[in-house]
Amino acid sequence: MTDITALEPFRRLSETSHRLLAGGTVTHRFDAGRTIIEKGQDVSGAYFVLEGRLRVFSLLPGGKEATLYFIEPGETCVLALNSLFNDLLYPAWVQTDSDTRVAVIPGRVYRALFATEPDIQDLTVQTLSTLVFRLMAELDQVHGQTLEQRLAGLLLVRASGRGVVRLTQQEMASHIGTTREVVARLIGRLSARGLIQSGRGAVTLHDRHALSVLAGGQDG
Amino acid sequence: MTDITALEPFRRLSETSHRLLAGGTVTHRFDAGRTIIEKGQDVSGAYFVLEGRLRVFSLLPGGKEATLYFIEPGETCVLALNSLFNDLLYPAWVQTDSDTRVAVIPGRVYRALFATEPDIQDLTVQTLSTLVFRLMAELDQVHGQTLEQRLAGLLLVRASGRGVVRLTQQEMASHIGTTREVVARLIGRLSARGLIQSGRGAVTLHDRHALSVLAGGQDG
DNA sequence: ATCCATGTGTAGCTTTGGCTACAGATTCCG
DNA sequence: CGGAATCTGTAGCCAAAGCTACACATGGAT
């Protein structure tokens, strides 16, 4: 995936729109771990991830982080869209999770496309809707689940096929919005119960079923 | 405000769209305190509040509630829109807060309007965006604020001009997602510090400034 | 006048989670 | 090989918040 025009929603654009898009879009590449948008920043365009992954998170008092969601290749950063349409300031932080290429469509170009292209209208609504659901789910979790449950969920979601989760305790803590020590404690408990096995920079799952029951049974 | 066609976004519709809207829309009236949408329900249309107020909340383990936001006259329930466009199940509960009249536009009608009417497209995006920001703000709060801060915020937001908040402790608890006892304890503390005065079914604010500092200074 | 429903005020106990402070382990690099 | 950086494992303490259990107050209804 090398060009924004290769992305599904941009395939069926009219000739004019296509030229507008091609002329206005800028592609950036960022190294892993770079902060590319900060809270309160004035966002200038719609961001589409071409390669790599972006992590959107909010910053809690005391410097803790909590991951809200990821933006994968082919997806767009809705918060940016959002800021775009409302002239609001961006309400969170965005970092690259790995080396990432991003296409930025300037605000006025995107708005023009939105006005005339049904596919862009659908894409926009679709993307916003998806975000709303992700946020609702996240909110439910934060509200109602213990950290142990949230950790179990995280491990299940981030496990490779063979049940290995390549995250440090500090990273896990960031994702679920707590501190390293608490994660260590939780991992110690899960490990004592035989559900997982801890190692440097990674955790191995031994009983996914029990974990998913623990997490609240969203997953098989 | 008696008819949906009186609402701003529906004013400039084409003749065809107007007929479609008028023909397809159904108006309901609900008494205060009725649950009109439950979580997991399949939502059939776009809800617009004509009179009264709807409260959208999520249900936490143990039967606690947490208010996400309100829908005022002229506004629409975005979650419903959302479910509509994604064929997803509604992710929260909706109750009437007072006696309320609601116009329901069936899904297929709304989708048809969205496809052809710029005003509806804008309205949809605008509404979704607003919701995203409300949810982000709520998430930040839940994540990072103590219940005392959240209570202070609630009191400030819900106070009448003369500084009276007409809510029972149970209702306050529902709004901020905790239990009655905890609210009583918090009120006791605030009251001991002279910031408020408690009474049956109401609280009187004595020092808004101190409260807003406490809440984190979002408000004057 | 009494009773009942609703609302408020307290107290004590427990769990969860945050903070501090280390000690050991592993990896990387020079 | 040795040291620095990074990561993990524990322990203890404390505050926040949830749960249980009452006692008391208020207001409306009969």
Side-chain angles (χ1 to χ4, degrees), chain B residues 1-171:
Chain B
M1 192 177 305
T2 46
D3 186 15
I4 186 155
T5 55
L7 294 180
E8 181 52 28
F10 300 102
R11 286 242 175 92
R12 280 184 300 280
L13 298 186
S14 70
E15 189 56 30
T16 335
S17 298
H18 198 284
R19 259 201 309 279
L20 185 62
L21 178 66
T25 308
V26 187
T27 330
H28 296 287
R29 71 162 13 281
F30 299 102
D31 295 335
R34 275 223 23 215
T35 300
I36 64 174
I37 305 182
E38 298 193 5
K39 181 163 183 170
Q41 188 172 330
D42 198 354
V43 178
S44 56
Y47 287 65
F48 286 82
V49 174
L50 301 176
E51 286 168 25
R53 182 157 71 163
L54 294 179
R55 182 171 78 95
V56 180
F57 60 97
S58 75
L59 218 51
L60 314 177
K64 291 195 301 289
E65 303 178 356
T67 301
L68 296 174
Y69 57 89
F70 292 93
I71 306 171
E72 308 281 348
E75 297 184 337
T76 177
C77 175
V78 241
L79 287 178
L81 273 190
N82 207 8
S83 303
L84 218 70
F85 278 94
N86 286 292
D87 281 320
L88 289 171
L89 300 180
Y90 198 84
W93 282 260
V94 180
Q95 266 186 4
T96 49
D97 195 49
S98 51
D99 289 8
T100 302
R101 287 204 317 127
V102 177
V104 181
I105 307 177
R108 46 161 203 84
V109 173
Y110 194 87
R111 289 194 213 227
L113 291 176
F114 178 81
T116 59
E117 296 288 341
D119 280 7
I120 301 297
Q121 291 160 7
D122 282 355
L123 169 72
T124 307
V125 169
Q126 202 65 34
T127 313
L128 281 172
S129 295
T130 306
L131 174 59
V132 167
F133 271 80
R134 287 186 192 175
L135 288 177
M136 292 283 305
E138 176 70 17
L139 201 51
D140 264 13
Q141 278 196 10
V142 172
H143 248 146
Q145 294 192 263
T146 64
L147 287 178
E148 184 174 69
Q149 290 179 303
R150 282 166 59 73
L151 178 62
L154 175 70
L155 291 177
L156 288 169
V157 168
R158 302 291 299 251
S160 71
R162 284 178 309 317
V164 176
V165 181
R166 301 221 137 276
L167 293 171
T168 66
Q169 297 184 347
Q170 181 56 60
E171 287 168 335

Side-chain angles (χ1 to χ4, degrees), chain A residues 54-132:
Chain A
L54 295 179
R55 181 171 78 96
V56 180
F57 60 98
S58 77
L59 220 50
L60 313 178
K64 290 195 302 289
E65 303 178 356
T67 300
L68 296 174
Y69 56 90
F70 292 93
I71 307 171
E72 309 280 348
E75 296 185 337
T76 178
C77 176
V78 239
L79 288 178
L81 275 190
N82 207 9
S83 303
L84 218 68
F85 278 93
N86 285 294
D87 281 319
L88 290 171
L89 300 180
Y90 197 82
W93 282 260
V94 180
Q95 265 187 7
T96 49
D97 194 50
S98 51
D99 290 9
T100 302
R101 288 204 316 128
V102 177
V104 182
I105 307 177
R108 46 164 203 84
V109 173
Y110 194 87
R111 290 194 211 227
L113 291 175
F114 178 82
T116 59
E117 296 288 341
D119 281 7
I120 302 297
Q121 291 160 7
D122 281 354
L123 170 72
T124 307
V125 169
Q126 202 66 32
T127 314
L128 282 172
S129 295
T130 306
L131 175 59
V132 167

Side-chain angles (χ1 to χ4, degrees), chain B residues 148-208:
Chain B
E148 184 174 69
Q149 290 179 303
R150 282 166 59 73
L151 178 62
L154 175 70
L155 291 177
L156 288 169
V157 168
R158 302 291 299 251
S160 71
R162 284 178 309 317
V164 176
V165 181
R166 301 221 137 276
L167 293 171
T168 66
Q169 297 184 347
Q170 181 56 60
E171 287 168 335
M172 297 179 207
S174 292
H175 288 309
I176 61 179
T178 183
T179 57
R180 215 267 311 158
E181 297 84 337
V182 174
V183 169
R185 187 154 64 201
L186 295 172
I187 286 186
R189 282 216 291 261
L190 295 179
S191 183
R193 285 193 261 162
L195 304 190
I196 62 175
Q197 184 180 335
S198 174
R200 185 186 177 83
V203 165
T204 309
L205 311 193
H206 282 166
D207 187 344
R208 293 200 196 209

